[in-house]
Amino acid sequence: MATALTGRGLAFIRATPNLFPSRFPWVAAPQQLSCLHTSALLEAPRWEQKNRKVYPPQLPGEPRRPAEIYHCKRQFKYSKDKLWYLATMVKGLSIDEAIAQLEFNDKKGAKFMKEVLLEAQDMAVKNHNVEYKSNLYVAESTSGKGKYLKRIRYHGRGMFGIMDKVYCHYFVKLVEGPPPAKTERTSFDAAKDYVDELKRRTIIHSL
Amino acid sequence: MFTVASFVQSLRTSLQLIENRLLQAAGLERQLAPALAAHGPSVLPQLNNGQETEEEVEGPCQSPGLLDGILWMAAPKKRRTIEVNRTRRRSESKLIKLKTNIEPCPECGHLKQKHILCGFCYAKVCRETAKIRNQIKEVEGGPFRAPTVETVVLYEGETANSQDKDKRIIERPRKRPSWFNV
């Protein structure tokens, strides 16, 4: 058996991360992964597996860590660009408000999103020890590109184009607690930040 | 030398012909004399005959000439970058605005818009009216048999009023719903 796991075999096993899904509880990373490209969210770890993350027990003096619930809907027939508008509309709202807004929106994606939010709310109460189902807010909400089907679109003069039948994913993260207060970022703030960034620069290898 | 000059001449004549035809189509200029008469005798006799007899002079660069002509279609000069596209697609006007006219229905507690009937209550009423219509269908027993008098729906334990004497009575075997007033 040991001779089989050599060279190419090991590389193959390492290349496919989902071959042996780990059942061990994950240790929480102390520093947050900032500056991640959005596509990295979908490769590894997958959105569904983020729910299995287990934090070490909290110390007595620490403030209570709010519950996080990750949910998604994969590969449904809608455009990721059109879903993006709905996803950004819902970002930062409390779950009741989000569901209300989606109920009265005429877009096709609103129906899918409302299902996902209701399911996530249900999951939160049943599996993630959330006491009040209204005490949740949408922390993250994004759309992703699904696997497209390709079809031929016939034009005149024997020309053809390849048509994409679009599919998309929807990802949502609910966090327990009241929604955070929205700070209005004015143009003055943006200018101030830009100037501070310019002042923070250091020129390396200089005198 | 000779062939190059003739080639250039044929190009020039073809472009002029195209422009004249375009101007004619646009209706902006009146018909000019044929452009061939203006050019000198440096053209070979074969080409000259060909141009005089044939209406359609196919210059070698005719189709791109159409696009570069003065009065022809607008076309993008450069590819729009993804940054430019994003700022246009994500501008404030294109984002979906939140609705402020959502409130709970006082009757059933479901959400409704202020100027629109509650969907749940409307569905409830629809179901009851469908049952009343089925009852009417049974009473009439066929198409085109609606009476000329009014119809009154009576529920369990109700009798016809003095006002409802001349009206057709439809009985529904259930308690009167709270929202259906007399």
Side-chain angles (χ1 to χ4, degrees):
Chain A
M1 265 312 275
T3 47
L5 293 169
T6 48
R8 215 179 280 167
L10 267 173
F12 168 74
I13 288 165
R14 209 168 283 142
T16 54
N18 288 334
L19 203 59
F20 302 114
S22 58
R23 299 224 180 120
F24 305 113
W26 290 11
V27 183
Q31 63 271 45
Q32 281 189 346
L33 296 162
S34 60
C35 63
L36 252 186
H37 203 257
T38 26
S39 59
L41 276 169
L42 312 173
E43 286 154 2
R46 298 206 124 208
W47 200 261
E48 295 92 331
Q49 270 124 26
K50 286 188 176 222
N51 273 330
R52 301 167 79 192
K53 183 171 188 174
V54 178
Y55 291 92
Q58 287 197 279
L59 303 167
E62 253 187 283
R64 191 187 168 121
R65 189 184 290 114
E68 294 172 345
I69 301 98
Y70 294 87
H71 196 40
C72 65
K73 187 169 164 81
R74 298 273 186 184
Q75 202 74 15
F76 56 96
K77 186 80 187 64
Y78 197 52
S79 156
K80 71 173 188 335
D81 299 307
K82 294 176 192 169
L83 191 67
W84 181 87
Y85 289 107
L86 289 162
T88 40
M89 174 181 82
V90 151
K91 227 184 273 192
L93 300 177
S94 70
I95 189 138
D96 291 334
E97 217 180 300
I99 291 171
Q101 291 292 330
L102 290 172
E103 198 177 315
F104 293 102
N105 192 297
D106 298 323
K107 291 187 175 265
K108 180 172 159 186
K111 219 186 291 181
F112 293 117
M113 277 171 68
K114 193 174 141 200
E115 269 175 35
V116 175
L117 285 178
L118 287 169
E119 248 182 57
Q121 194 183 41
D122 211 34
M123 267 164 56
V125 171
K126 288 190 184 154
N127 307 339
H128 293 85
N129 190 29
V130 167
E131 199 179 348
Y132 303 111
K133 70 173 189 180
S134 297
N135 197 26
L136 292 161
Y137 71 93
V138 178
E140 283 169 31
S141 142
T142 36
S143 67
K145 172 186 170 294
K147 287 218 165 84
Y148 291 173
L149 296 173
K150 299 203 202 287
R151 299 283 179 266
I152 303 180
R153 192 208 180 269
Y154 301 97
H155 294 272
R157 291 173 158 246
M159 299 290 193
F160 67 95
I162 309 174
M163 191 162 50
D164 283 327
K165 292 287 182 186
V166 292
Y167 286 84
C168 61
H169 310 308
Y170 175 61
F171 307 100
V172 75
K173 171 180 167 183
L174 300 176
V175 172
E176 199 176 6
K182 281 197 181 164
T183 49
E184 276 287 318
R185 218 179 112 91
T186 56
S187 50
F188 180 77
D189 291 327
K192 194 155 136 354
D193 285 340
Y194 177 62
V195 168
D196 288 340
E197 208 181 299
L198 290 177
K199 286 183 180 166
R200 241 179 291 141
R201 294 177 301 180
T202 46
I203 303 167
I204 54 167
H205 304 316
S206 66
L207 294 165
Chain B
M1 274 288 286
F2 218 44
T3 44
V4 168
S6 62
F7 184 70
V8 167
Q9 282 294 344
S10 65
L11 276 181
R12 213 181 290 159
T13 46
S14 60
L15 280 171
Q16 280 240 331
L17 270 173
I18 292 156
E19 274 190 33
N20 286 338
R21 221 167 280 120
L22 284 176
L23 290 169
Q24 268 179 38
L28 291 174
E29 275 191 39
R30 56 185 184 80
Q31 291 204 9
L32 304 170
L36 290 166
H39 295 283
S42 60
V43 182
L44 283 172
Q46 291 167 345
L47 281 166
N48 217 350
N49 284 335
Q51 279 164 355
E52 276 177 15
T53 47
E54 287 172 30
E55 278 256 341
E56 303 277 327
V57 179
E58 291 287 322
C61 58
Q62 190 181 10
S63 36
L66 274 170
L67 283 174
D68 302 336
I70 310 164
L71 299 168
W72 209 239
M73 309 292 280
K77 196 72 186 175
K78 278 280 169 191
R79 185 208 153 113
R80 280 161 146 184
T81 57
I82 186 67
E83 296 90 0
V84 163
N85 282 333
R86 277 205 194 111
T87 43
R88 184 187 66 254
R89 287 169 193 164
R90 296 178 182 194
S91 68
E92 193 60 44
S93 62
K94 301 262 171 92
L95 298 177
I96 304 175
K97 281 135 206 138
L98 291 171
K99 290 199 166 108
T100 52
N101 53 1
I102 302 174
E103 51 171 27
C105 166
E107 300 288 323
C108 62
H110 284 81
L111 291 167
K112 71 185 263 308
Q113 283 190 298
K114 278 184 194 153
H115 60 297
I116 298 177
L117 298 174
C118 167
F120 187 78
C121 300
Y122 178 67
K124 172 180 69 177
V125 169
C126 279
R127 266 178 270 133
E128 181 60 30
T129 43
K131 288 182 186 146
I132 292 169
R133 283 204 189 113
N134 285 335
Q135 195 77 31
I136 292 172
K137 207 163 108 174
E138 280 173 34
V139 163
E140 286 178 4
F144 310 114
R145 284 180 210 180
T148 47
V149 294
E150 282 180 39
T151 310
V152 160
V153 181
L154 292 177
Y155 288 90
E156 254 172 9
E158 288 175 21
T159 50
N161 281 349
S162 53
Q163 291 172 331
D164 308 333
K165 252 190 290 184
D166 307 319
K167 299 180 189 173
R168 165 176 74 155
I169 293 166
I170 298 289
E171 306 256 304
R172 283 273 299 130
R174 58 155 281 185
K175 193 185 82 167
R176 180 167 280 267
S178 54
W179 47 265
F180 195 160
N181 297 324
V182 179

